[in-house]
Amino acid sequence: ELRAPVREEQFAAVIAHLRHNFFADEPLNRAVALCAPGQPHAELEAHALATLRDGLSCVALHGATGQVAGVALNGVTRPGDVARARAALDALADTKFRRIFSLLYGANLQLDLFGAHGVDRVFECRILSVDRRWRGKGLACALLRRSEAIARQHGFKVLKEDATGLFSQRVAERCGLRAVAQVRYVDAAARDEASGHAPILPPRPHDCLKVMVKILH
Ligand code: ACO
């Protein structure tokens, strides 16, 4: 059962789901060994909660138990937000988190989705996560399609996702998103090594980051 928006009393259950399924498993998080399954992560939780407060997210609940089976955490991104977020990374203590978000923000700063599409806000799917026990059944696709419906209801023209691994890229493609930018992890790692930074190399089959977009007519 899909529910949107996610109510405040469900935030704690969503965070618990992310601790057990997203923080450790997402390909970039895995590449830097950000967390062990079940472990909390202050910066990622702050990122998730800020996104939940935008009121555009949806959750899939397991019918029999009411447990969180998956989530799409969606937020609004406006011009200047990414540059500000990147500048704020310097103040963060967690170097692994900083490396991941430098890569994501760097790819996004190469693009001007606002100018390209004549909009002042973009609907961004920031976290797409399905419980390990229920993967491969189309749940992520259902969550992304519902997210698209939410974006349309709120009058957004651009839906965007940074798809960090092959499976999320397949899901996004199936839902009609197309890659507008791509960073091969080996290329980013070579640049990092050349500048003395630790490289991020997700495990196979995840070989690139794709910034993926769907224009909503
Ligand atoms: N091995 C091979 N293929 C797989 C696997 C696997 N372990 N898991 C999923 N896939 C494939 C499926 O076959 C399907 O592709 P296909 O239809 O072309 O065959 C696709 O990947 C998955 O489709 P769904 O069933 O809709 O996706 P699912 O409900 O399993 O959720 C998700 C996908 C969200 C990526 C899940 O694997 C997950 O939570 N992973 C950890 C967190 C993560 O990486 N999230 C995305 C990061 S990007 C972001 O958050 C914006």
Side-chain angles (χ1 to χ4, degrees):
E1 185 194 343
L2 294 190
R3 289 225 188 128
V6 182
R7 294 191 319 273
E8 191 141 359
E9 35 306 2
Q10 293 173 311
F11 287 6
V14 169
I15 296 294
H17 158 85
L18 294 176
R19 286 181 186 167
H20 286 279
N21 298 282
F22 184 88
F23 291 179
D25 283 3
E26 183 280 329
L28 295 174
N29 294 353
R30 262 181 73 185
V32 301
L34 190 72
C35 291
Q39 210 185 325
H41 191 282
E43 286 88 349
L44 267 183
E45 286 171 30
H47 178 70
L49 286 168
T51 301
L52 278 165
R53 288 193 198 98
D54 280 348
L56 300 170
S57 298
C58 59
V59 62
L61 299 177
H62 185 247
T65 62
Q67 277 180 292
V68 173
V71 289
L73 299 197
N74 306 313
V76 187
T77 303
R78 297 180 192 281
D81 283 354
V82 175
R84 269 191 296 278
R86 189 169 73 168
L89 284 180
D90 294 338
L92 298 182
D94 187 326
T95 53
K96 291 177 173 178
F97 182 88
R98 271 184 8 217
R99 283 161 58 206
I100 291 171
F101 277 83
S102 300
L103 177 65
L104 295 175
Y105 294 152
N108 279 275
L109 286 168
Q110 306 290 317
L111 295 167
D112 175 17
L113 291 178
F114 307 102
H117 301 291
V119 296
D120 61 4
R121 52 182 201 149
V122 159
F123 183 98
E124 181 170 26
C125 178
R126 300 204 181 119
I127 291 184
L128 188 59
S129 170
V130 169
D131 188 299
R132 292 173 174 182
R133 291 167 291 177
W134 295 304
R135 287 182 190 161
K137 300 182 192 305
L139 198 48
C141 213
L143 284 161
L144 194 53
R145 286 195 201 284
R146 178 64 179 266
S147 299
E148 178 183 332
I150 296 168
R152 287 181 190 276
Q153 273 164 17
H154 287 80
F156 284 85
K157 293 210 180 75
V158 180
L159 166 68
K160 190 219 118 180
E161 178 192 354
D162 293 334
T164 55
L166 183 64
F167 308 147
S168 55
Q169 289 159 10
R170 280 197 194 148
V171 170
E173 256 161 42
R174 198 148 10 101
C175 293
L177 283 76
R178 296 291 169 253
V180 294
Q182 183 168 332
V183 178
R184 291 202 320 148
Y185 291 131
V186 284
D187 296 338
R191 282 195 295 273
D192 280 340
E193 278 182 326
S195 56
H197 295 105
I200 307 180
L201 272 176
R204 274 153 56 93
H206 310 298
D207 64 354
C208 67
L209 160 70
K210 289 184 179 174
V211 181
M212 302 188 71
V213 163
K214 182 169 184 175
I215 306 306
L216 310 177
H217 297 289

